[in-house]
Amino acid sequence: MAIELHNVSKSFGDKVTALRDVSFEVPTGSVLALLGHNGAGKTTVVKILSTLLRPTSGRAIVAGYDVAKEPGKVRASIGLTGQDAALDGSLTGRENLVLFGRLRGMRKQQARERADELIDQFSMRHAADRRVMTYSGGMRRRIDIAAALVDKPRVLFLDEPTTGLDPRSRRDVWALVSSLAEQDITVLLTTQYLEEADVLSDSIVILDSGKVIASGTAEDLKRLVGHRYCDVSPTDPADMNRVYAAVADIEGVEVDYGANTVSVPAPDGVATLTEVLRRVESLGIELHDISLRKPSLDEVFLHLTPGAVKV
């Protein structure tokens, strides 16, 4: 295992407990998504695993080293990117990568060669010799992740790596993260985007109030909801309120005006879809689409953390 937490707790003084007996493992070369609402303990976990905080109790192991007893060896084995890119805007992308290599103890030529490798790997040759202050958000994030990989870490921590990025840049970062597993690099990812966790992760851990409340693959967690959903999309968006009124008595109905969709919990599968279709057709509303689907991770999260603010 690349990462192991065994009953890890963290308290700040007598009144604030950030983590309570957190335990999970991450196999080598896999991607784990750590989810939870703001204040659930995600960043505290990352800080403990990256030796920035010491656990109050329990044991955490990264790349085979105890974070409390062998912090130097842990730091030599990991890469870390925070929510804000840790780059010098006055330097070029190439100069930033060389600087990080030198800070990691590389000789000048070795640092330059490694910077060239990463520039090619991250498709940044066209902008490598421009100052980082001129980069877009997506380009800055790519160079920031590249900097965390200068010394070829065994474990990489990505703390909300796509926050604030446009959809195209977000997908570029997704492609980069997916490629890391092929290099046998273990990734622990925190994210505000549940779709991101669904796409990238091999496994997921959900925290709530500092405790692990669920873990498993995305499919494992979706099964916890216990039912599918029937999505109804009228051809004319003006009919959305009429569709909603026709099914509003069914518990858990949700309306997404942006997606022009009414989502109805479907515990009885096809029978629920048939009933919804009967009700809508009785109103003479033309449908663009009606379908059954599995729950999304957003719905899983809201099901498991009722009353919590979504990540």
Side-chain angles (χ1 to χ4, degrees):
M1 291 291 171
I3 300 173
E4 301 174 54
L5 283 86
H6 302 286
N7 303 113
V8 170
S9 297
K10 179 61 182 178
S11 299
F12 298 94
D14 297 329
K15 297 182 178 180
V16 179
T17 300
L19 298 178
R20 306 169 189 266
D21 293 321
V22 172
S23 298
F24 62 81
E25 297 179 338
V26 187
T28 300
S30 67
V31 178
L32 179 132
L34 190 61
L35 307 180
H37 60 82
N38 292 334
K42 303 186 302 294
T43 298
T44 301
V45 168
V46 172
K47 286 184 176 181
I48 286 174
L49 292 174
S50 57
T51 76
L52 297 176
L53 285 176
R54 290 177 64 91
T56 303
S57 62
R59 191 175 184 216
I61 300 171
V62 177
Y65 304 113
D66 188 299
V67 299
K69 298 177 180 177
E70 303 169 286
K73 291 181 178 179
V74 171
R75 287 192 288 271
S77 304
I78 66 173
L80 170 66
T81 68
Q83 296 178 28
D84 299 313
L87 302 170
D88 187 330
S90 64
L91 300 179
T92 67
R94 187 189 308 277
E95 289 168 341
N96 268 280
L97 294 178
V98 171
L99 173 61
F100 274 86
R102 297 287 284 161
L103 290 173
R104 297 289 272 186
M106 293 181 178
R107 299 190 177 206
K108 186 177 294 186
Q109 185 59 34
Q110 182 185 12
R112 287 174 177 169
E113 291 173 355
R114 180 58 177 157
D116 285 341
E117 289 177 11
L118 290 166
I119 286 166
D120 286 337
Q121 179 183 340
F122 282 62
S123 302
M124 288 292 291
R125 189 161 291 281
H126 67 288
D129 296 308
R130 282 170 41 196
R131 291 187 179 185
V132 166
M133 67 177 63
T134 69
Y135 283 8
S136 66
M139 292 166 63
R140 287 175 64 91
R141 180 53 71 190
R142 285 156 72 184
I143 286 292
D144 190 43
I145 295 175
L149 296 172
V150 163
D151 205 22
K152 297 183 179 179
R154 295 165 60 185
V155 177
L156 178 64
F157 298 105
L158 299 177
D159 193 6
E160 300 186 9
T162 62
T163 296
L165 298 186
D166 62 80
R168 182 183 297 275
S169 296
R170 188 175 302 139
R171 291 187 179 275
D172 286 345
V173 172
W174 290 2
L176 293 175
V177 173
S178 296
S179 71
L180 297 177
E182 299 172 7
Q183 304 171 49
D184 216 27
I185 296 172
T186 304
V187 178
L188 188 151
L189 167 80
T190 73
T191 178
Q192 294 186 6
Y193 305 106
L194 298 181
E195 179 193 7
E196 186 165 277
D198 204 350
V199 170
L200 294 178
S201 67
D202 297 298
S203 58
I204 295 170
V205 170
I206 299 180
L207 293 176
D208 187 32
S209 301
K211 298 182 292 186
V212 174
I213 60 169
S215 62
T217 66
E219 291 303 311
D220 290 338
L221 297 181
K222 289 174 183 178
R223 282 193 286 270
L224 294 178
V225 174
H227 58 74
R228 290 174 287 176
Y229 283 81
C230 173
D231 283 350
V232 187
S233 300
T235 300
D236 185 351
D239 288 327
M240 283 283 288
N241 287 335
R242 294 178 65 203
V243 172
Y244 173 72
V247 297
D249 62 307
I250 301 175
E251 184 177 356
V253 175
E254 296 182 359
V255 181
D256 186 337
Y257 288 99
N260 192 39
T261 300
V262 176
S263 293
V264 183
D268 297 321
V270 174
T272 301
L273 183 146
T274 302
E275 172 63 16
V276 171
L277 182 61
R278 183 191 65 77
R279 295 188 187 192
V280 174
E281 283 187 332
S282 70
L283 300 175
I285 294 173
E286 182 180 350
L287 294 182
H288 172 70
D289 189 33
I290 182 169
S291 61
L292 282 176
R293 63 168 175 82
K294 295 179 181 178
S296 67
L297 275 184
D298 289 73
E299 288 156 340
V300 171
F301 183 84
L302 293 173
H303 174 76
L304 293 173
T305 58
V309 177
K310 195 181 77 171
V311 282

